Amino acid sequence: GLFHVADAVVGDALIRGVSGGERRRVSVAEMWAVNTRVYLGDRISDGLDSASTLDLVRSLRIWCRAMDTTIVVAMLQPPPEIL
């Protein structure tokens, strides 16, 4: 979750901010906050370990089915259990 960094700055090239995994979670949360029918995610698993990537993909699948939306993601070298 992100509760422990709720008041933290996400960061950029100059400001350290939250970790890579937390930054990815913020990006996914931003995707979920917008009410649209198709979501596009480019390399959403960068910086995540295999377990976190699998958890993210499972969450996206559940959310996609519940909200009747389509999600298209591009991943660089996903772990085998994702496919």
Side-chain angles (χ1 to χ4, degrees):
L2 293 171
F3 292 110
H4 66 284
V5 292
D7 295 323
V9 175
V10 173
D12 59 20
L14 300 175
I15 300 171
R16 180 156 162 46
V18 298
S19 72
E22 291 161 342
R23 189 171 292 135
R24 292 290 171 207
R25 290 181 189 101
V26 168
S27 297
V28 171
E30 288 175 335
M31 251 183 12
W32 288 350
V34 179
N35 187 17
T36 163
R37 303 294 294 163
V38 177
Y39 296 89
L40 306 174
D42 183 27
R43 297 174 61 171
I44 63 170
S45 63
D46 284 7
L48 300 178
D49 60 22
S50 295
S52 296
T53 300
L54 183 58
D55 185 45
L56 173 63
V57 170
R58 285 179 177 162
S59 297
L60 288 173
R61 284 180 184 159
I62 292 168
W63 183 79
C64 182
R65 289 181 182 135
M67 300 303 290
D68 193 29
T69 61
T70 300
I71 299 175
V72 179
V73 297
M75 287 194 227
L76 182 63
Q77 297 179 336
E81 56 269 12
I82 298 294
L83 306 174

